[in-house]
Amino acid sequence: GSILEAAAGLELRYLVHPSGTLTVDFQYKARKTLPMLPRVGTAWQMPLEFQNIRWYGPGPDPTYADRNWQPVGIYETTVSDNWVDYSKPQENGNTVDLRWIEITDAEGAGLRFTSEKLLSANALPFSADEMSGRAYSWQLPDPSAVQVNIDYAQMGVGGDNSWGNIALPQYQLRERAYHYQYRVSPIR
């Protein structure tokens, strides 16, 4: 559909396979110059009991396009432990260059996200809308769902001059078109 008063278009296609796997195809195209995007991707919401995160990629600490020096391996954490309680609620807990990521419940059931291209993802107890406009973390509501971002890319953190600058140009999302595809497989 059209977004931003027809200045851009987004097409999401879903293909359900007999195995229960879902292929998500994401295509974004800006029809004119728009402001830089902070992230390109999709947001999922899962029930609160899906608290376990397991991934193959850099870790165990969060990584971003311009903060990616963690060793690659298989890592595990929980949604609660992935959350960084900054005094002002903000985006956090991201991992770039993922081969796959799994979000599961206590019994190990859940979803596995994979792609031919390396993904960027995170799973948090709060949505961007819930964090927006909150000056302090104590103002956040009680978590009601797990917010999962499965992204083509996220802009770098920036701050190369003690947090004043935005990300360097090579870590900005200034393209007018993005396309990526990933699979969502059930874990039983």
Side-chain angles (χ1 to χ4, degrees):
S2 291
I3 51 178
L4 302 170
E5 299 176 1
L10 174 64
E11 184 176 311
L12 277 172
R13 290 186 183 181
Y14 303 95
L15 177 62
V16 181
H17 302 273
S19 65
T21 295
L22 175 73
T23 298
V24 178
D25 188 82
F26 174 103
Q27 291 191 56
Y28 167 87
K29 183 162 178 56
R31 293 182 179 87
K32 62 181 183 180
T33 303
L34 293 171
M36 180 175 25
L37 296 169
R39 80 172 347 127
V40 173
T42 55
W44 291 73
Q45 194 174 75
M46 295 178 69
L48 201 52
E49 60 264 22
F50 292 87
Q51 284 291 311
N52 299 311
I53 307 168
R54 188 168 172 258
W55 73 95
Y56 178 33
D61 296 324
T63 55
Y64 294 85
D66 57 352
R67 303 283 192 279
N68 186 11
W69 45 75
Q70 296 286 312
V72 172
I74 295 176
Y75 299 98
E76 296 181 25
T77 190
T78 64
V79 172
S80 299
D81 288 343
N82 195 44
W83 172 254
V84 180
D85 194 20
Y86 294 114
S87 61
K88 178 175 174 43
Q90 57 192 282
E91 170 70 33
N92 67 79
N94 195 69
T95 302
V96 298
D97 293 347
L98 290 170
R99 279 73 172 164
W100 52 260
I101 184 170
E102 298 173 344
I103 313 295
T104 58
D105 64 12
E107 284 76 47
L111 297 175
R112 182 180 191 153
F113 301 86
T114 60
S115 176
E116 301 298 321
K117 178 202 173 296
L118 299 177
L119 297 170
S120 174
N122 67 5
L124 298 172
F126 305 105
S127 69
D129 286 344
E130 289 172 324
M131 289 185 276
S132 179
R134 310 286 175 141
Y136 302 99
S137 60
W138 59 262
Q139 296 172 321
L140 290 166
D142 289 336
S144 60
V146 174
Q147 311 296 326
V148 181
N149 294 300
I150 304 295
D151 299 328
Y152 170 85
Q154 185 181 67
M155 182 173 77
V157 173
D160 296 339
N161 69 339
S162 297
W163 302 108
N165 282 353
I166 65 169
L168 295 171
Q170 63 267 36
Y171 305 116
Q172 296 175 8
L173 301 175
R174 293 191 178 270
E175 298 298 319
R176 295 171 48 100
Y178 294 96
H179 176 245
Y180 79 116
Q181 198 176 76
Y182 62 91
R183 289 173 304 286
V184 186
S185 303
I187 301 172
R188 295 179 176 86

